[in-house]
Amino acid sequence: MSIIFCLRVLILFIFNIYCNCEYIYPGLVWNDTDGKSIQAHATGILIDPNDESYWWYGESLKTSTLSDHGINCYHSKDLIHWTNMGEVLGQKQVFIKDLSGPYVIERPKVIWNEKTKLYVMWFHLDSIDYKYRYVGVATSLIPNATFKFVNAFQPDGIPSLDMNIYEDKINNIVRGVYLVRSCHNEYVGISQFTDDYLNTTGITSTIGEPREGHAIFYRNNHYYMMTSHLTGWSPNPAELFITNQDNLHNAKWYSLGNPTNSSITFNSQSTFVLPFPSTKYPGTYFYIYMGDRWNYPNLLNATYIWLPFTFNSDTNVTLQWKDQWSLTDY
Ligand SMILES: *[C@@H]1O[C@H](CO)[C@@H](O)[C@H](O)[C@H]1NC(C)=O
Ligand SMILES: *[C@@H]1O[C@H](CO)[C@@H](O)[C@H](O)[C@H]1NC(C)=O
Ligand SMILES: *[C@@H]1O[C@H](CO)[C@@H](O)[C@H](O)[C@H]1NC(C)=O
Ligand SMILES: *[C@@H]1O[C@H](CO)[C@@H](O)[C@H](O)[C@H]1NC(C)=O
Ligand SMILES: *[C@@H]1O[C@H](CO)[C@@H](O)[C@H](O)[C@H]1NC(C)=O
Ligand SMILES: *[C@@H]1O[C@H](CO)[C@@H](O)[C@H](O)[C@H]1NC(C)=O
């Protein structure tokens, strides 16, 4: 018994030294450094402004008990091994004047404000029946403390559902920071933030149809937006959009269709696209699609789908399924 045990430990030890254990396994349970499954759904990634490490924010375990729901945070230096930093915002922190909890807390995204030296968090904040359609805004001095709730409101006075934040940063210069959200589930609206990132300043660009899971990124002088259609927790065909101009003001968005050739987007819904430094072509980036597999086989077991985009050209963009892949192969 004990000899077998020792052998197992030895084999695991050698395996860990010599194997390439740096794979991403789309759709499988992803464990943190404590061996517990990562619970950070509707992922938002923040690149640390000081040391370029990664902070992963997301929704806590998708239980049916709303009062448990909050925002968890994980930390990583390599995007593969994640350490649990615990809950950074819970029901206790939230306050809406005319509505008592528990609240729906979804799609958290965090951004660093250089001027105020604060980490600013935005999330979809709602009543249990999704009638309020607010955003919640919270701030913190460090990325992994309990965030201080600042405000609950409808940005630009427009009911807001699925949302994301986009930092328009080119060659290390922040040109603007934007909220993108589903306005009333009727159209997609993009608004620039105020300098403190605590408010919006009016719509600058729209897509005239409802979409969810918005994830904006920038490549080769074009903005792109990955989206899903609206079918609740069930997967549907993704739709990728591209702009005709190098600016998010008055930008027109054109559909490039579904880049996955999968009518259910590999059973996932988009939440974020992360540019990642390329190993194959040093000095350039490749782009990681991040999505949620909400039913594996149910919400409680939701997993993550991370896959690299392929750009055959600016407008011929595809996403291919891989059981496993390594960041250093791209
Ligand atoms: C994650 O941890 C569980 C036990 O906590 C284990 O059964 C499972 O194999 C682990 N998964 C991976 C992918 O390592
Ligand atoms: C925040 O993260 C840093 C870096 O990993 C760690 O040293 C610190 O203990 C964390 N603080 C909290 C409150 O979790
Ligand atoms: C946000 O901006 C709107 C429009 O200018 C304004 O009415 C509202 O009071 C602002 N909210 C805060 C918290 O500053
Ligand atoms: C797209 O999917 C269809 C149906 O599954 C398949 O026949 C076709 O080969 C796929 N095309 C590509 C480019 O993968
Ligand atoms: C789903 O998650 C729950 C709670 O974590 C667990 O008890 C259950 O076994 C999981 N189901 C499957 C099919 O993995
Ligand atoms: C996109 O590029 C691939 C690879 O070069 C090619 O096979 C495919 O035909 C292209 N699709 C379109 C619509 O041009």
Side-chain angles (χ1 to χ4, degrees):
M1 187 72 169
S2 69
I3 288 176
I4 291 172
F5 181 76
C6 285
L7 270 177
R8 273 185 60 187
V9 170
L10 189 66
I11 288 167
L12 273 178
F13 182 69
I14 292 169
F15 183 73
N16 274 305
I17 290 174
Y18 290 107
C19 81
N20 183 354
C21 298
E22 310 294 300
Y23 286 117
I24 287 169
Y25 299 92
L28 298 189
V29 173
W30 196 337
N31 287 340
D32 65 18
T33 50
D34 294 329
K36 299 215 171 71
S37 63
I38 294 175
Q39 298 298 330
H41 310 281
T43 302
I45 301 284
L46 168 75
I47 300 175
D48 190 290
N50 302 307
D51 66 4
E52 308 258 298
S53 62
Y54 302 97
W55 299 95
W56 177 349
Y57 297 90
E59 300 165 14
S60 58
L61 187 68
K62 303 298 292 172
T63 63
S64 53
T65 317
L66 205 53
S67 53
D68 295 340
H69 289 199
I71 296 167
N72 290 340
C73 174
Y74 292 80
H75 188 220
S76 174
K77 290 198 159 56
D78 58 12
L79 217 67
I80 302 280
H81 304 96
W82 294 93
T83 303
N84 187 3
M85 293 289 151
E87 187 181 82
V88 289
L89 187 119
Q91 296 284 333
K92 276 203 301 277
Q93 275 75 48
V94 177
F95 175 75
I96 305 183
K97 207 174 76 191
D98 46 0
L99 178 73
S100 60
Y103 305 104
V104 167
I105 294 175
E106 290 180 348
R107 300 204 173 270
K109 303 289 177 283
V110 176
I111 190 148
W112 160 249
N113 187 303
E114 179 66 42
K115 285 204 181 104
T116 60
K117 308 287 176 205
L118 288 173
Y119 293 87
V120 182
M121 172 190 282
W122 284 58
F123 54 95
H124 174 199
L125 175 60
D126 223 317
S127 52
I128 193 163
D129 55 0
Y130 289 84
K131 287 279 155 49
Y132 259 67
R133 307 182 168 197
Y134 277 20
V135 297
V137 179
T139 61
S140 174
L141 285 166
I142 61 167
N144 52 340
T146 302
F147 278 64
K148 185 174 168 292
F149 192 73
V150 178
N151 203 2
F153 62 108
Q154 294 184 337
D156 307 317
I158 303 165
S160 173
L161 292 104
D162 262 22
M163 52 139 281
N164 204 338
I165 290 175
Y166 176 66
E167 184 181 45
D168 188 11
K169 189 176 181 181
I170 298 169
N171 298 326
N172 260 338
I173 294 164
V174 180
R175 308 204 305 181
V177 177
Y178 296 83
L179 173 73
V180 52
R181 79 288 201 187
S182 174
C183 295
H184 232 322
N185 277 350
E186 285 166 1
Y187 63 98
V188 180
I190 298 176
S191 297
Q192 191 164 355
F193 279 171
T194 48
D195 285 349
D196 59 11
Y197 300 175
L198 302 180
N199 205 351
T200 50
T201 60
I203 298 237
T204 66
S205 172
T206 60
I207 295 175
E209 291 168 55
R211 292 289 181 277
E212 285 184 337
H214 327 90
I216 299 177
F217 59 103
Y218 182 81
R219 180 189 174 277
N220 200 23
N221 301 317
H222 294 284
Y223 293 92
Y224 294 85
M225 195 196 304
M226 189 66 166
T227 67
S228 76
H229 289 76
L230 279 65
T231 50
W233 301 110
S234 305
N236 59 54
E239 189 167 8
L240 182 66
F241 290 86
I242 186 172
T243 58
N244 60 339
Q245 66 191 55
D246 184 18
N247 192 318
L248 282 177
H249 287 257
N250 304 313
K252 289 200 167 39
W253 295 87
Y254 299 93
S255 176
L256 297 178
N258 177 359
T260 68
N261 193 34
S262 155
S263 61
I264 54 168
T265 314
F266 312 126
N267 191 3
S268 73
Q269 181 183 32
S270 48
T271 180
F272 205 79
V273 173
L274 181 72
F276 195 83
S278 170
T279 305
K280 213 164 161 185
Y281 307 106
T284 70
Y285 289 83
F286 73 98
Y287 296 79
I288 305 173
Y289 165 84
M290 298 179 172
D292 293 282
R293 180 168 285 179
W294 292 118
N295 40 14
Y296 186 67
N298 47 46
L299 262 185
L300 259 188
N301 304 87
T303 57
Y304 315 97
I305 306 293
W306 290 15
L307 291 166
F309 277 104
T310 303
F311 286 85
N312 301 306
S313 71
D314 287 349
T315 53
N316 181 340
V317 188
T318 60
L319 198 59
Q320 269 125 31
W321 177 258
K322 295 173 193 326
D323 289 334
Q324 60 178 66
W325 63 281
S326 167
L327 291 166
T328 53
D329 287 344
Y330 292 88

